[in-house]
Amino acid sequence: MDFLFSVVTAVYNVESYLRQAVDSLITQDIGFENIQLVLVDDGSTDSSGSICDEYAQRYPNNITVLHKENGGVSSARNEGLSYIKGRYINFM
């Protein structure tokens, strides 16, 4: 496994909260190098998708971004599970 933890996050129209959520993972005590973050943009109509892309550019080794048509939180999480590389999995 490449990471200790993989965190899959469904993202849908959460531009007001997204930076705070991602930053909270980046600053975890275990070190962000141990965390893979999979952000699944579930067809957001606000700037959530572009915020995800910004973070992926800043942290290309840790953050994977997927863009898909809106299908709901379960659909987004299931899509993200295909990309995990961590020993342990969690959802945010």
Side-chain angles (χ1 to χ4, degrees), residues 1-8 24-38 59 61-63 84-90:
M1 295 280 133
D2 295 341
F3 298 93
L4 185 57
F5 292 96
S6 289
V7 179
V8 178
S24 74
L25 286 171
I26 291 170
T27 59
Q28 289 297 306
D29 290 344
I30 64 166
F32 192 53
E33 67 276 2
N34 295 307
I35 300 172
Q36 174 199 24
L37 177 57
V38 180
Y59 300 96
N61 297 325
N62 297 72
I63 297 179
I84 60 167
K85 298 177 183 176
R87 182 172 182 179
Y88 302 104
I89 304 163
N90 204 344

Side-chain angles (χ1 to χ4, degrees), residues 2-72:
D2 295 341
F3 298 93
L4 185 57
F5 292 96
S6 289
V7 179
V8 178
T9 303
V11 175
Y12 181 75
N13 291 345
V14 290
E15 67 184 358
S16 299
Y17 312 102
L18 186 55
R19 290 183 195 281
Q20 181 180 2
V22 174
D23 288 342
S24 74
L25 286 171
I26 291 170
T27 59
Q28 289 297 306
D29 290 344
I30 64 166
F32 192 53
E33 67 276 2
N34 295 307
I35 300 172
Q36 174 199 24
L37 177 57
V38 180
L39 298 169
V40 185
D41 175 28
D42 193 31
S44 295
T45 58
D46 64 2
S47 63
S48 296
S50 60
I51 293 170
C52 291
D53 292 337
E54 288 175 29
Y55 275 100
Q57 287 179 348
R58 286 183 17 209
Y59 300 96
N61 297 325
N62 297 72
I63 297 179
T64 301
V65 176
L66 310 171
H67 298 278
K68 61 182 278 313
E69 288 185 29
N70 183 265

